[in-house]
Amino acid sequence: MVTRIPDGVRSAACNAVVDRVDAGTTNASGRLRVYSGPQPASANSAPTGTLLAEVPLALPAFTEASNGVATLLGVPLTTDGLEAGTAGWFRIVDRDVVTVLDGSAGTAGTQLILNTATISPGVTVQINSGTITMPGSEP
């Protein structure tokens, strides 16, 4: 059987996840970190690859979800590259630096869209858009 979730519930689930980005008190906002290499098998795993860039997020960080999709606010976001490498994935941490989620990063066809996947120290990295989507069905 296939599990199916109606749009309203998908949106509520998505909001529950992205609202975690704004949780905490240590920092003024959550952070988005871009790494090289493949994404870890689980968001519970330690980051893999090289930390290429980090940018503070808006507060709140995401729109209210519609049809299970929340969109990153404050874009474009810019920061300077920290290390050299090719972006492969991203991780978002809350204000207390607790992992909330991670996903794919690149210039097209990924959850996080960058101006370039090739990042160098001191060179501007621009985050053009980002979305988090809760699935509507699972086999």
Side-chain angles (χ1 to χ4, degrees), residues 32-43:
L32 188 150
R33 297 172 171 171
V34 179
Y35 292 89
S36 64
Q39 181 179 352
S42 167

Side-chain angles (χ1 to χ4, degrees), residues 74-116:
V75 292
L77 297 167
T78 59
T79 190
D80 288 338
L82 301 172
E83 299 289 339
T86 302
W89 67 284
F90 72 94
R91 177 164 283 176
I92 295 179
V93 297
D94 70 11
R95 295 169 62 189
D96 290 335
V97 196
V98 174
T99 298
V100 176
L101 60 92
D102 55 48
S104 59
T107 58
T110 56
Q111 293 164 310
L112 185 71
I113 304 298
L114 307 170
N115 65 323
T116 180

